[in-house]
Amino acid sequence: MSVYQATASAPVNIACIKYWGKRDTKLILPTNSSLSVTLDQDHLRSTTTSRADPSFEQDLLWLNGAEDEIKPGGRLETCISEMKKLRAAVEAKSPNEPKLSEFKVHIASYNNFPTAAGLASSASGFAALVSSLAVLYKLPATPSQLSLIARQGSGSACRSLFGGFVAWEMGTRADGSDSLAIEVAPREHWPDIHALICVVNDAKKGTSSTSGMQRTVETSELLQHRITHVVPARMRAISAAITARDFDAFARITMQDSNQFHAVALDTDPPIFYLNDVSRAIIALVVEYNRVSVAAGGKLKAAYTYDAGPNAVIYTAKENVKEIVSLIVKYFPQADAFKDPFKLFGTAGVGEGSVVEGFNTNVAKKFEVGAVKTLIHTRVGDGPRTLGEEESLLGEDGTPKTLA
Amino acid sequence: MSVYQATASAPVNIACIKYWGKRDTKLILPTNSSLSVTLDQDHLRSTTTSRADPSFEQDLLWLNGAEDEIKPGGRLETCISEMKKLRAAVEAKSPNEPKLSEFKVHIASYNNFPTAAGLASSASGFAALVSSLAVLYKLPATPSQLSLIARQGSGSACRSLFGGFVAWEMGTRADGSDSLAIEVAPREHWPDIHALICVVNDAKKGTSSTSGMQRTVETSELLQHRITHVVPARMRAISAAITARDFDAFARITMQDSNQFHAVALDTDPPIFYLNDVSRAIIALVVEYNRVSVAAGGKLKAAYTYDAGPNAVIYTAKENVKEIVSLIVKYFPQADAFKDPFKLFGTAGVGEGSVVEGFNTNVAKKFEVGAVKTLIHTRVGDGPRTLGEEESLLGEDGTPKTLA
């Protein structure tokens, strides 16, 4: 008897133009368009195996080995049932196809980065879920079509259906059928974009983004202006910057939009704070690093951006990563050695860190070890990948394999 | 021979609707109206003695005993020369008046609160300067007329010309002649408004408000919306709340406007941060304190507000001050005993602090001693006072007395 199974992996994405606010909370339709960089799955990814089998009694899902409830009417159930509908359409056209849409599915998903890293895993997770089901179901769907379904799992998941530089167009239709992801440029267009993730120690769990963004929609008087006037212009400008590989413009818009997202969070009642003193110090370092470059007749060399938490993601060209890692390590001493996936540093490693010539070392104080817990170096990456049988996360019995 | 001298004191004011942005940096004309509460001079004040004498060779000014340069074309010089013009007009009408406008002046000013307290002394300082000269020169000017001159020394100084609740109307004229302070309500209208100032330890000096606000004007896309749409409505709403002694509305608008001011600072490029982790924790405490009250069917009982620094000012009705002091002390242990000017606590003092019933103690962590350096309890106060000769800060020789 055939085993109907597929495994796919999907990347994390980090927005440059931020998504903050829904106009429809059930369909997850945003109040503004957004744009992100897809990060490399070689470093950060969610992997999902989906299997359909007539012997399965119910849809089941395991996340990192632990069963996760598929609540009726919830986001997981929505995505799975939408995928089954697309499969049913395939079966209706091709009567010889097995009736997988009528089988229950078992799904195992695994993130290769710890939840404690503070990286949102819902985007890569829902993108991997939808991607694995699309392969299993042999859907003729494009990434944009799949993004419509991933979006209903987690808004920003729709952007993880593409590699490179990705826009989530907010759309205008009430049914959400035009609120989808499109590719602005593939990774090959600008492979030089690297990212340094500074995982910041956070004493307190902040407001969840789901509840936080709706409080902003309800109470911030500034959000409407952002939505109506600021974001549309920034979407055009940053798309043009990406097309032209203009890092200076890309960096300026990215930092401005991170700031504005946190500004409307602060303008919420009661206010929402995601940046802490460590986050602020990283901003001060990047601002000073850029100032030195501009003062020497150069351009912006780095761009910070912050999602709904204190972690910084710093975008830069590959040639600057070494300077920036060294800068961060100087102010935020690391407990563990920097994992150096691109072999920037020799066997001696980063050492105690250093600043570039002309850098005003007074812009921040040196923090205690652990204020920045981890530094992750990655770069722009590709879209979801279909993996081979050997990567399957499900054992023969239809439950998750134990991972080494 | 006569001594022509006058001494006046003037209060600090803390804005509920924030002033942030100038449309004319020389005349100090703001981009929006603002509104403040005048604090009690019994606790916080600037005192200024001005003397005019034909023997003086130049205008001189001492601040807290140290000579301060009166730069040509600077703010001090502008205020002094504007006051001399008003005196000259008096002399023109009353030929018997001595020609004080032609004499040089010696001015000694003293703040009874340490600069290290992080309270802006420029508002009370310029208000006291203008007030003492107005008495010396026997000017028939109203507080609003004097506020036009104090404004040119430091924008928010114009609001310290009145007690109680004070609006600075931005005006529309290019010469600034209608950009002045008016009394919304005297202290006697609502004497129950008390203020608790939490002086927060700050590792780093933030961006000066003068340069910061202009960067916001130049780079924040949200500021224009605030100026045009948000502030005018809030000025009307908070004035109505004051008239009605509606603390709930007063508190809500005050907190929203503090948040929005810091939001537009964050929306500035590069971003400006004044709130640190301690400031954020105080906000969390006030939010939770209010939540408990509202959950019990009550109303907002406290309102935080932050100027261009990390210090909190908490407005509340007198009956709640004891609870709030106790709450702050619990999370921010004090090195020194709380000075208890209103005798709220017995001889045992505040002790280790406490929270009200139902308070979720997890909203903030307990900080180290000194995170909040000082707590100052005061209340709404009166406008500038004319003081007697015995309060003079100038000795017979025309230089500052040594203060005990």
Side-chain angles (χ1 to χ4, degrees), chain B residues 3 5-9 47-51 132 135 384-394 401:
Chain B
V3 174
Q5 173 177 301
T7 300
S9 66
T47 305
T48 301
T49 299
S50 297
R51 186 186 296 172
S132 71
V135 177
R385 300 173 184 169
T386 302
L387 304 180
E389 283 299 314
E390 69 284 3
E391 306 269 7
S392 168
L393 298 171
L394 286 170
K401 290 179 184 171

Side-chain angles (χ1 to χ4, degrees), chain B residues 4-231:
Chain B
Y4 300 107
Q5 173 177 301
T7 300
S9 66
V12 168
N13 74 77
I14 301 290
C16 297
I17 304 294
K18 300 297 188 188
Y19 154 49
W20 196 252
K22 297 182 182 77
R23 64 181 200 272
D24 183 315
T25 54
K26 172 65 184 156
L27 289 170
I28 309 189
L29 302 178
T31 51
N32 59 262
S33 297
S34 55
L35 185 144
S36 58
V37 177
T38 295
L39 301 185
D40 196 337
Q41 283 163 88
D42 287 352
H43 307 120
L44 302 166
R45 65 182 169 276
S46 293
T47 305
T48 301
T49 299
S50 297
R51 186 186 296 172
D53 195 285
S55 74
F56 291 162
E57 293 179 354
Q58 55 178 323
D59 294 336
L60 290 175
L61 182 140
W62 292 265
L63 179 58
N64 293 335
E67 193 180 330
D68 205 3
E69 189 189 352
I70 302 174
K71 294 188 189 116
R75 293 173 171 199
L76 278 170
E77 203 244 17
T78 299
C79 284
I80 295 167
S81 69
E82 288 294 315
M83 293 301 287
K84 285 183 178 174
K85 278 186 207 162
L86 293 184
R87 170 65 189 182
V90 168
E91 293 163 4
K93 277 193 188 167
S94 308
N96 293 331
E97 282 289 325
K99 298 288 181 287
L100 302 189
S101 68
E102 297 170 12
F103 299 171
K104 300 296 182 188
V105 289
H106 281 193
I107 298 166
S109 190
Y110 177 75
N111 305 318
N112 78 332
F113 48 94
T115 305
L119 293 165
S121 56
S122 59
S124 53
F126 275 102
L129 169 68
V130 167
S131 296
S132 71
L133 286 170
V135 177
L136 170 65
Y137 291 159
K138 295 183 182 165
L139 301 184
T142 64
S144 285
Q145 289 168 328
L146 294 178
S147 78
L148 290 165
I149 295 173
R151 188 202 74 222
Q152 296 174 63
S154 174
S156 56
C158 72
R159 296 188 311 241
S160 279
L161 267 301
F162 286 99
F165 304 84
V166 188
W168 174 9
E169 304 204 312
M170 63 178 288
T172 56
R173 294 185 204 141
D175 68 357
S177 58
D178 59 351
S179 185
L180 45 71
I182 61 161
E183 183 188 81
V184 174
R187 71 184 296 187
E188 293 74 19
H189 170 73
W190 205 3
D192 193 40
I193 294 293
H194 280 233
L196 187 70
I197 304 170
C198 306
V199 181
V200 170
N201 196 20
D202 200 19
K204 259 191 49 46
K205 178 77 188 132
T207 308
S208 87
S209 58
T210 299
S211 67
M213 67 172 71
Q214 285 322 104
R215 214 161 82 207
T216 301
V217 169
E218 288 157 15
T219 64
S220 169
E221 300 212 39
L222 299 180
L223 181 69
Q224 206 57 42
H225 186 74
R226 164 170 168 75
I227 290 168
T228 314
H229 293 98
V230 181
V231 172

Side-chain angles (χ1 to χ4, degrees), chain B residues 317-330:
Chain B
K318 185 183 180 187
E319 62 178 359
N320 303 317
V321 174
K322 198 172 168 182
E323 283 178 352
I324 296 169
V325 169
S326 198
L327 173 64
I328 298 293
V329 166
K330 182 178 170 67

Side-chain angles (χ1 to χ4, degrees), chain B residues 295-327:
Chain B
K299 299 192 166 191
L300 301 181
K301 288 166 69 180
Y304 58 78
T305 187
Y306 294 79
D307 284 343
N311 295 343
V313 175
I314 302 173
Y315 288 121
T316 191
K318 185 183 180 187
E319 62 178 359
N320 303 317
V321 174
K322 198 172 168 182
E323 283 178 352
I324 296 169
V325 169
S326 198
L327 173 64

Side-chain angles (χ1 to χ4, degrees), chain A residues 202-204 219 221-226 229-230 234 252 255-256 258-264 266-271 273-278 280 283-284 287 304 362-365, chain B residues 202-204 219 221-226 229-230 234 252 255-256 258-264 266-271 273-278 280 283-284 287 304 362-365:
Chain A
D202 201 19
K204 260 192 47 47
T219 64
E221 301 212 39
L222 299 180
L223 182 68
Q224 206 55 44
H225 186 74
R226 164 170 169 74
H229 293 97
V230 181
R234 284 188 181 162
R252 192 179 60 250
M255 291 187 282
Q256 286 173 339
S258 175
N259 294 335
Q260 188 167 92
F261 151 47
H262 292 280
V264 297
L266 211 168
D267 190 49
T268 301
D269 187 17
F273 295 93
Y274 291 117
L275 306 179
N276 64 21
D277 286 356
V278 173
R280 291 169 56 195
I283 288 175
V287 168
Y304 57 79
N362 293 323
V363 296
K365 63 163 191 169
Chain B
D202 200 19
K204 259 191 49 46
T219 64
E221 300 212 39
L222 299 180
L223 181 69
Q224 206 57 42
H225 186 74
R226 164 170 168 75
H229 293 98
V230 181
R234 283 188 182 161
R252 193 179 60 250
M255 292 188 282
Q256 286 173 338
S258 174
N259 294 336
Q260 188 167 92
F261 151 47
H262 292 280
V264 297
L266 211 169
D267 189 50
T268 301
D269 187 16
F273 295 93
Y274 291 117
L275 306 179
N276 64 22
D277 286 356
V278 173
R280 291 169 56 196
I283 288 174
V287 168
Y304 58 78
N362 292 323
V363 297
K365 63 163 191 170

